[in-house]
Amino acid sequence: MAESKEKDWRFKLHEVIYESNKPAGKVFDVALLIAILTSIIVVMLDSVVSIHKQYGTLFSHLEWIFSILFTIEYILRLICIKKPLSYVLSPLGIIDLLALIPSYLSIFFIGAQSLLVFRALRLLRVFRIFKLGHFLTEINFLTQALKGSVRKISIFLLTVLTLVVILGSIMYLVEQRENGFSNIPESIYWAIVTITTVGYGDISPVTPIGKFVASVVMLIGYAIIAVPTGILTHDLAMASRLKKELPESCPSCSREGHDTDAEFCKFCGAPLFRD
Amino acid sequence: MAESKEKDWRFKLHEVIYESNKPAGKVFDVALLIAILTSIIVVMLDSVVSIHKQYGTLFSHLEWIFSILFTIEYILRLICIKKPLSYVLSPLGIIDLLALIPSYLSIFFIGAQSLLVFRALRLLRVFRIFKLGHFLTEINFLTQALKGSVRKISIFLLTVLTLVVILGSIMYLVEQRENGFSNIPESIYWAIVTITTVGYGDISPVTPIGKFVASVVMLIGYAIIAVPTGILTHDLAMASRLKKELPESCPSCSREGHDTDAEFCKFCGAPLFRD
Amino acid sequence: MAESKEKDWRFKLHEVIYESNKPAGKVFDVALLIAILTSIIVVMLDSVVSIHKQYGTLFSHLEWIFSILFTIEYILRLICIKKPLSYVLSPLGIIDLLALIPSYLSIFFIGAQSLLVFRALRLLRVFRIFKLGHFLTEINFLTQALKGSVRKISIFLLTVLTLVVILGSIMYLVEQRENGFSNIPESIYWAIVTITTVGYGDISPVTPIGKFVASVVMLIGYAIIAVPTGILTHDLAMASRLKKELPESCPSCSREGHDTDAEFCKFCGAPLFRD
Amino acid sequence: MAESKEKDWRFKLHEVIYESNKPAGKVFDVALLIAILTSIIVVMLDSVVSIHKQYGTLFSHLEWIFSILFTIEYILRLICIKKPLSYVLSPLGIIDLLALIPSYLSIFFIGAQSLLVFRALRLLRVFRIFKLGHFLTEINFLTQALKGSVRKISIFLLTVLTLVVILGSIMYLVEQRENGFSNIPESIYWAIVTITTVGYGDISPVTPIGKFVASVVMLIGYAIIAVPTGILTHDLAMASRLKKELPESCPSCSREGHDTDAEFCKFCGAPLFRD
């Protein structure tokens, strides 16, 4: 009897923590989101010198409350799941752990103070929000298209990196160690700033030949930005064709949330496609 | 008889104010557009110190004339429509009201002076211009595609915001409170400036490691700009397929302005599609 | 007899000047291109103070030689064509005339000196180069797609202009006449610099609220750049579908250069499409 | 017998150097990649003054070791291939030679010191990496799409160059030799910086009219960036249609690496397409 009761308790906890489509789970997820965002804002404000001077102690207390809360949450997640290890090793589990460690490290090591910045990783947990809305179809669709683009995009990035090294070296030769182009890595940094059309202006060509080379770099950057866009658009169209125009809701029971490779409704078993 | 006359008067006024495809309505709309644009230009010029000194009084007189004219127009709109409340609560009605309030507030409150800037909201009324041209089909088409992209674009924006917070925090750690990276919000501002390829150059990395991290941020920004473009292009194609190549004019009576989901001409009832 | 001889002479001249697919016409076109480019380079170099001091007299002589050559060419074009007025009023004819006038104006008016810059308009004549290559199919295809996008792009531009006026006004309010946001037109200029992701950095926000608003403007600019791209890509696909995969060369006589709306080969009359 | 032995030896060497799908060839290619990258990093670090002072002699020794290694590799490539001249004149062969020459030139000429920068060209050899992964299908696909876009992209680039010359000349006229717009080439450089949305801010308009012209240039640049993207996306779709959805692996023997125009598997002869 006692064991069954315990089972009940763990089952209920699992429902609250992991099942966001149940009312209790929804409330838990929303509360967790608010806690994460608040803790991030505390980290941010604490880095502002003037605010830190006034509210520093409050912030460090709040930080500890959040750290303890997230630790309790992490332990509860481990307790109520059947296979705790698979959670610990899942991407979300690793992020949850990474976001916890810095606070505890700062007790033992003084140098670990700077690690506190890694608490910003907590923000990654915000992606849980998509469990609340029905964004899974869109996420699946986007990740599938991105997966299809990975090889083409990596060819593109290698080409850009090669271009940037060569153009940076030429510029180093042209501007002759003056005007900020003091060494090749610096010139490559300039080439990246230019080819991506960011253009800080911290380093910019001064000599006429330098300006001519820079113009060529800019026009190259302007033209090749079309490449990743073209690739992705094309692969979205491919992913979409594979999807066979998946209906957002089942045509017979009208419930949503089917996988992109589903052929039949997972709720009522009716076929999802007409033809 | 008197009532019928009054009805006639209100009916005619309704035609002038609301029906831009009638000659009188067209004239009214064009006059309104000119008034709106002139009043915006007055607001702009009045903000320039040197011009304000010379023509300040003229401008404030003009402002009051425009305010009174737009108030009269607003009252006339309320009078001649059957359901005044639905106009007041419509997006265009809210904008019309918001653009009126600041002028009157400035009489009672001196601090409200700065609210005068909100008169720029009048510009939103310029979108009425599209009633004059036959832009409705294109607007419907674009809004439909944008609606289809909302979920995917919001996933993209959340990803960018998360990236920006994490990259900003890393940069704060790397550049050590110097060179403008004085706190995390400031570093996040820098990350946004960089990832969107704006690149003011008011804050830019100085240390070699900072420049390396910045290069990574730039290349990320350069690559992921493809994502919203790819999404929108794809959804425009989807919207276009749904449109079934909607004819701009009915094939039997050749009148235009049909909704994107119309199957039959709303003027003569003939089917809009051939097959 | 004399008249027939004159006819011959004019006919031959017409061939040289207007028909770039004949050998003589090709030579003339290439010579003209070189003359145009050289005259442009002379205008450019003459604007550099140090070079002007050394070669100023040479340049002004060259300028007069080019002006006289182009005048002779213009007169010859008028003589050998059947309908001179239709050439004068054609886009190319207007550009040819506009590029001639400044040189002659500078004799009578001293203030017209600055008009000499309009000689850069001669560069527009470079587009004649496309007559030499077989670029007409591509140009027709691109212009057709751009024509299809005109309405959608103008809706987009009006939206951007409205956004820029409103965001600029808000920024003027937020930054309070300091930091370069000295009046609304200046703030609108900043908003354009930011939303187009150019980001000079001549004006950039200083207050925290200003930086927040700027971040929003940047993210808007980053997201809406997708809109014109999406529209154009979509309309290129539409134009391509209308083109029915036009063969570059006729399937029976294999000659190229057909119009995009051609159904039959204009050289041998065979149908251009298989099905 | 001796000749057969020699044949064996050259055949084996050919396998190691040219056939990256054999184990020995893979090891050689990976080793070569590491050597190239290391030599590039040495060139980069050597350009940093502070590092050069400390490790300058080490770097120059390393440089000579790499130069000799690459020379030996180049000679081996010539020996073990049947037609050495076709390798020397191939793009990869030219790059290999170009990357060797600077080191040897620096012995005879002291001025050739600056040519050492051309050793960065070695990086182009990194593209051999794609032989290791199965990237050939993607590269073929991308180059085919880019080939289809060449004409349209060159029309686009000529239009941009014309725009930039005319807009730069107008700006030179408007800003009157002040504020960095000191001559037409300088103003054209500014126009390129602006229209490509790079925006260094080293030259930026100061007068109100100048700012207005700049705003127009920016909006043009913002709108026409859509053109190359639209073109490429469209041509990727065309290339993809031509590809007839080429399977990455043969349906009967499941081996990969087929050309984009292959109809039958080059390994087992089975047709690559189902229908």
Side-chain angles (χ1 to χ4, degrees):
Chain A
M1 273 306 273
E3 199 187 39
S4 143
K5 214 176 180 179
E6 197 202 313
K7 222 174 188 173
D8 264 24
W9 168 77
R10 280 174 63 183
F11 183 80
K12 216 164 187 181
L13 193 67
H14 184 273
E15 213 176 274
V16 170
I17 295 183
Y18 285 98
E19 280 166 53
S20 52
N21 48 344
K22 299 270 168 67
K26 213 164 217 165
V27 168
F28 177 80
D29 270 12
V30 170
L32 184 62
L33 271 173
I34 293 169
I36 291 169
L37 289 177
T38 316
S39 79
I40 294 287
I41 290 165
V42 165
V43 172
M44 279 186 200
L45 293 178
D46 198 33
S47 75
V48 183
V49 176
S50 61
I51 301 176
H52 176 80
K53 271 178 188 157
Q54 264 199 293
Y55 304 99
T57 359
L58 174 67
F59 285 159
S60 75
H61 289 156
L62 274 174
E63 238 321 287
W64 277 110
I65 292 166
F66 282 124
S67 297
I68 290 159
L69 276 178
F70 292 139
T71 313
I72 293 168
E73 183 224 337
Y74 188 75
I75 292 163
L76 288 180
R77 277 184 191 276
L78 288 181
I79 288 172
C80 73
I81 208 164
K82 276 182 185 166
K83 301 177 183 168
L85 209 76
S86 72
Y87 163 70
V88 171
L89 299 174
S90 73
L92 279 175
I94 292 168
I95 290 168
D96 290 358
L97 194 62
L98 271 179
L100 277 179
I101 296 174
S103 311
Y104 293 102
L105 279 183
S106 68
I107 312 176
F108 306 108
F109 308 98
I110 289 157
Q113 197 70 20
S114 63
L115 284 173
L116 291 175
V117 167
F118 285 104
R119 290 177 303 196
L121 285 175
R122 277 178 198 154
L123 201 62
L124 287 173
R125 302 186 69 193
V126 163
F127 280 91
R128 288 165 191 280
I129 207 172
F130 292 127
K131 285 201 303 182
L132 292 173
H134 303 281
F135 283 88
L136 284 175
T137 326
E138 275 85 6
I139 288 185
N140 281 338
F141 173 61
L142 282 174
T143 44
Q144 202 172 321
L146 286 171
K147 258 182 211 162
S149 303
V150 161
R151 278 166 167 243
K152 299 198 204 83
I153 295 278
S154 55
I155 295 172
F156 171 73
L157 273 182
L158 191 78
T159 313
V160 167
L161 282 175
T162 309
L163 266 175
V164 145
V165 170
I166 291 168
L167 292 168
S169 304
I170 292 171
M171 206 61 181
Y172 168 69
L173 202 71
V174 165
E175 290 275 334
Q176 306 263 22
R177 295 210 169 193
E178 282 157 43
N179 320 316
F181 297 86
S182 48
N183 51 58
I184 293 182
E186 203 86 24
S187 298
I188 290 169
Y189 164 73
W190 167 84
I192 292 173
V193 169
T194 302
I195 217 166
T196 59
T197 79
V198 170
Y200 285 134
D202 51 350
I203 310 173
S204 60
V206 174
T207 60
I209 315 168
K211 284 182 178 174
F212 178 76
V213 175
S215 299
V216 173
V217 176
M218 283 175 235
L219 289 172
I220 290 172
Y222 194 54
I224 64 174
I225 200 164
V227 178
T229 312
I231 290 166
L232 195 80
T233 308
H234 174 258
D235 287 344
L236 278 171
M238 289 291 115
S240 162
R241 204 173 295 168
L242 290 172
K243 222 174 57 156
K244 285 184 217 149
E245 292 176 30
L246 184 79
E248 289 219 4
S249 58
C250 165
S252 78
C253 75
S254 79
R255 272 193 274 179
E256 294 175 42
H258 304 288
D259 294 331
T260 49
D261 54 353
E263 292 279 339
F264 294 92
C265 173
K266 63 181 175 183
F267 301 111
C268 72
L272 286 170
F273 304 100
R274 271 137 276 177
D275 54 299
Chain B
M1 275 306 272
E3 201 187 36
S4 144
K5 214 175 180 178
E6 197 202 313
K7 223 175 188 171
D8 264 25
W9 169 78
R10 280 173 64 183
F11 183 80
K12 216 163 187 180
L13 193 67
H14 184 272
E15 215 176 272
V16 170
I17 295 183
Y18 286 98
E19 280 166 53
S20 51
N21 49 344
K22 298 272 168 68
K26 213 163 217 165
V27 168
F28 177 80
D29 270 12
V30 170
L32 184 62
L33 271 172
I34 292 168
I36 292 168
L37 289 176
T38 317
S39 79
I40 293 287
I41 290 165
V42 165
V43 172
M44 280 186 197
L45 293 178
D46 198 33
S47 76
V48 183
V49 176
S50 61
I51 301 176
H52 176 80
K53 270 178 190 157
Q54 264 199 292
Y55 304 101
T57 357
L58 174 67
F59 285 159
S60 76
H61 290 156
L62 275 173
E63 239 320 286
W64 276 111
I65 292 166
F66 282 124
S67 296
I68 290 159
L69 276 177
F70 291 139
T71 313
I72 293 168
E73 183 224 338
Y74 189 75
I75 293 164
L76 288 179
R77 276 183 192 275
L78 288 181
I79 288 172
C80 73
I81 208 164
K82 274 182 188 169
K83 300 178 185 169
L85 209 75
S86 72
Y87 162 70
V88 171
L89 299 174
S90 73
L92 279 174
I94 292 168
I95 290 167
D96 291 357
L97 194 62
L98 271 178
L100 278 179
I101 295 174
S103 312
Y104 292 102
L105 278 183
S106 69
I107 312 176
F108 305 107
F109 308 98
I110 289 156
Q113 197 71 21
S114 63
L115 284 174
L116 291 175
V117 166
F118 285 105
R119 290 177 303 197
L121 285 175
R122 277 179 199 155
L123 199 64
L124 287 173
R125 301 187 68 192
V126 163
F127 279 91
R128 287 165 191 279
I129 208 173
F130 291 126
K131 284 201 305 183
L132 293 173
H134 302 282
F135 284 86
L136 285 175
T137 327
E138 274 87 5
I139 288 185
N140 281 338
F141 173 62
L142 282 173
T143 44
Q144 202 172 321
L146 286 170
K147 257 182 213 162
S149 304
V150 161
R151 279 168 167 241
K152 298 196 204 85
I153 296 278
S154 54
I155 294 171
F156 170 73
L157 273 181
L158 192 78
T159 313
V160 167
L161 283 175
T162 310
L163 266 174
V164 146
V165 170
I166 291 169
L167 292 168
S169 303
I170 291 171
M171 205 62 180
Y172 168 69
L173 202 71
V174 164
E175 289 275 335
Q176 306 263 20
R177 295 208 170 196
E178 282 157 44
N179 321 317
F181 298 85
S182 48
N183 51 59
I184 293 181
E186 203 85 24
S187 298
I188 289 169
Y189 163 74
W190 167 85
I192 292 173
V193 169
T194 302
I195 216 166
T196 59
T197 78
V198 170
Y200 285 134
D202 51 349
I203 311 173
S204 60
V206 174
T207 61
I209 314 168
K211 285 182 178 175
F212 179 76
V213 175
S215 298
V216 173
V217 176
M218 283 175 234
L219 289 171
I220 290 172
Y222 194 54
I224 64 173
I225 200 166
V227 178
T229 311
I231 290 167
L232 196 80
T233 308
H234 174 258
D235 287 344
L236 278 172
M238 289 291 115
S240 162
R241 203 173 296 168
L242 289 172
K243 222 174 58 155
K244 286 184 215 150
E245 293 175 29
L246 184 78
E248 289 219 4
S249 58
C250 165
S252 79
C253 75
S254 78
R255 272 192 273 179
E256 294 176 41
H258 304 288
D259 293 331
T260 49
D261 54 353
E263 292 278 339
F264 294 93
C265 172
K266 63 181 177 185
F267 301 111
C268 71
L272 286 171
F273 304 100
R274 272 138 275 178
D275 55 298
Chain C
M1 275 306 273
E3 201 187 38
S4 146
K5 213 174 181 180
E6 197 201 312
K7 224 173 186 173
D8 264 26
W9 169 77
R10 281 174 64 184
F11 182 81
K12 217 163 186 181
L13 193 67
H14 184 273
E15 215 176 272
V16 171
I17 296 183
Y18 286 97
E19 280 166 53
S20 51
N21 47 345
K22 298 271 167 69
K26 214 164 217 164
V27 168
F28 177 81
D29 270 12
V30 169
L32 185 62
L33 272 173
I34 292 168
I36 292 169
L37 289 177
T38 317
S39 79
I40 293 287
I41 289 164
V42 165
V43 172
M44 279 187 198
L45 294 179
D46 198 34
S47 75
V48 183
V49 176
S50 61
I51 301 177
H52 175 80
K53 270 177 189 158
Q54 264 201 294
Y55 303 100
T57 357
L58 173 68
F59 286 159
S60 76
H61 289 155
L62 275 174
E63 238 321 286
W64 276 109
I65 291 166
F66 281 124
S67 297
I68 289 159
L69 275 177
F70 292 139
T71 314
I72 292 168
E73 183 224 339
Y74 189 75
I75 292 164
L76 288 179
R77 276 183 192 278
L78 288 180
I79 288 171
C80 73
I81 208 165
K82 276 184 185 165
K83 300 178 185 170
L85 210 75
S86 72
Y87 162 70
V88 171
L89 299 174
S90 73
L92 279 175
I94 292 168
I95 290 166
D96 291 358
L97 194 62
L98 271 178
L100 278 179
I101 296 174
S103 312
Y104 292 102
L105 278 182
S106 69
I107 312 175
F108 306 107
F109 307 98
I110 289 157
Q113 196 72 20
S114 63
L115 285 173
L116 291 176
V117 166
F118 285 104
R119 291 178 301 198
L121 284 175
R122 277 179 198 153
L123 200 63
L124 287 173
R125 301 187 68 192
V126 164
F127 280 91
R128 289 165 189 280
I129 207 172
F130 292 126
K131 285 201 304 181
L132 293 173
H134 301 281
F135 283 87
L136 284 175
T137 327
E138 274 87 5
I139 288 186
N140 280 338
F141 174 61
L142 282 173
T143 45
Q144 202 171 321
L146 285 171
K147 257 182 211 162
S149 303
V150 161
R151 280 168 165 241
K152 299 197 204 82
I153 295 279
S154 55
I155 294 172
F156 171 73
L157 273 182
L158 192 77
T159 313
V160 167
L161 282 175
T162 310
L163 265 175
V164 146
V165 171
I166 291 168
L167 292 168
S169 303
I170 291 171
M171 206 62 180
Y172 168 69
L173 202 72
V174 164
E175 290 275 335
Q176 305 264 18
R177 295 208 170 195
E178 283 157 44
N179 319 317
F181 298 85
S182 48
N183 50 58
I184 293 181
E186 203 86 24
S187 299
I188 290 169
Y189 164 73
W190 167 85
I192 292 173
V193 169
T194 303
I195 216 166
T196 58
T197 78
V198 171
Y200 285 133
D202 51 350
I203 312 174
S204 60
V206 174
T207 61
I209 314 168
K211 284 181 177 174
F212 178 77
V213 175
S215 300
V216 173
V217 176
M218 282 175 236
L219 289 172
I220 290 172
Y222 193 55
I224 64 173
I225 201 165
V227 178
T229 310
I231 290 168
L232 195 80
T233 308
H234 174 258
D235 287 345
L236 278 172
M238 288 291 115
S240 162
R241 203 174 297 167
L242 288 172
K243 223 174 55 156
K244 284 184 217 149
E245 293 176 30
L246 185 78
E248 289 219 5
S249 59
C250 165
S252 78
C253 74
S254 78
R255 270 192 276 179
E256 292 176 43
H258 303 287
D259 293 331
T260 50
D261 54 353
E263 293 279 339
F264 295 92
C265 173
K266 62 181 176 184
F267 301 112
C268 70
L272 288 169
F273 305 100
R274 272 138 274 180
D275 55 297
Chain D
M1 273 308 271
E3 199 187 40
S4 145
K5 213 175 182 179
E6 196 202 315
K7 222 174 189 173
D8 264 25
W9 168 78
R10 280 174 63 182
F11 183 81
K12 217 165 186 180
L13 193 67
H14 184 273
E15 213 176 273
V16 170
I17 295 183
Y18 286 97
E19 279 166 54
S20 52
N21 48 343
K22 299 271 168 68
K26 214 165 218 164
V27 168
F28 177 79
D29 271 11
V30 170
L32 184 62
L33 271 173
I34 292 168
I36 292 169
L37 289 177
T38 317
S39 79
I40 293 286
I41 289 165
V42 165
V43 172
M44 279 187 200
L45 293 179
D46 198 33
S47 76
V48 183
V49 176
S50 60
I51 301 176
H52 175 81
K53 271 177 187 157
Q54 264 200 294
Y55 304 100
T57 357
L58 173 68
F59 285 159
S60 76
H61 290 156
L62 274 174
E63 238 322 286
W64 277 109
I65 292 166
F66 282 124
S67 297
I68 290 158
L69 276 178
F70 291 140
T71 313
I72 293 167
E73 184 224 338
Y74 188 75
I75 292 164
L76 287 180
R77 276 184 191 276
L78 288 180
I79 289 170
C80 72
I81 207 164
K82 275 183 188 169
K83 301 177 184 171
L85 209 77
S86 73
Y87 162 69
V88 171
L89 299 174
S90 74
L92 279 174
I94 292 168
I95 290 167
D96 291 359
L97 194 62
L98 271 178
L100 279 179
I101 295 173
S103 311
Y104 292 102
L105 278 183
S106 69
I107 312 176
F108 307 106
F109 308 97
I110 290 157
Q113 196 71 20
S114 63
L115 284 173
L116 292 176
V117 166
F118 285 104
R119 290 177 302 197
L121 285 175
R122 278 179 199 154
L123 200 63
L124 286 174
R125 302 186 69 192
V126 164
F127 280 91
R128 288 165 190 280
I129 206 172
F130 292 126
K131 284 200 304 181
L132 294 172
H134 302 282
F135 283 88
L136 284 175
T137 327
E138 274 86 6
I139 287 185
N140 281 339
F141 175 61
L142 282 174
T143 45
Q144 202 172 320
L146 285 171
K147 257 182 211 162
S149 304
V150 161
R151 280 169 165 240
K152 299 197 205 84
I153 296 278
S154 55
I155 295 171
F156 171 73
L157 272 182
L158 191 78
T159 313
V160 167
L161 282 175
T162 310
L163 265 174
V164 146
V165 171
I166 291 169
L167 292 168
S169 303
I170 291 172
M171 206 61 179
Y172 168 69
L173 202 73
V174 164
E175 289 275 335
Q176 306 264 18
R177 296 208 169 196
E178 283 156 44
N179 320 317
F181 298 85
S182 47
N183 50 57
I184 293 182
E186 203 86 23
S187 299
I188 290 169
Y189 164 73
W190 167 84
I192 292 173
V193 169
T194 303
I195 216 165
T196 57
T197 78
V198 170
Y200 286 132
D202 52 350
I203 310 173
S204 60
V206 174
T207 61
I209 314 168
K211 284 181 178 174
F212 179 77
V213 175
S215 300
V216 173
V217 177
M218 283 175 234
L219 289 171
I220 289 173
Y222 194 55
I224 64 173
I225 201 166
V227 178
T229 311
I231 290 167
L232 195 80
T233 309
H234 174 257
D235 288 342
L236 278 172
M238 289 290 116
S240 161
R241 205 173 295 166
L242 289 172
K243 221 173 58 155
K244 286 184 216 149
E245 292 175 29
L246 184 79
E248 289 219 5
S249 58
C250 165
S252 78
C253 73
S254 78
R255 271 191 277 179
E256 291 176 44
H258 303 288
D259 292 330
T260 49
D261 54 354
E263 292 280 337
F264 294 93
C265 173
K266 62 182 176 186
F267 302 112
C268 70
L272 287 169
F273 304 101
R274 272 137 277 178
D275 55 296

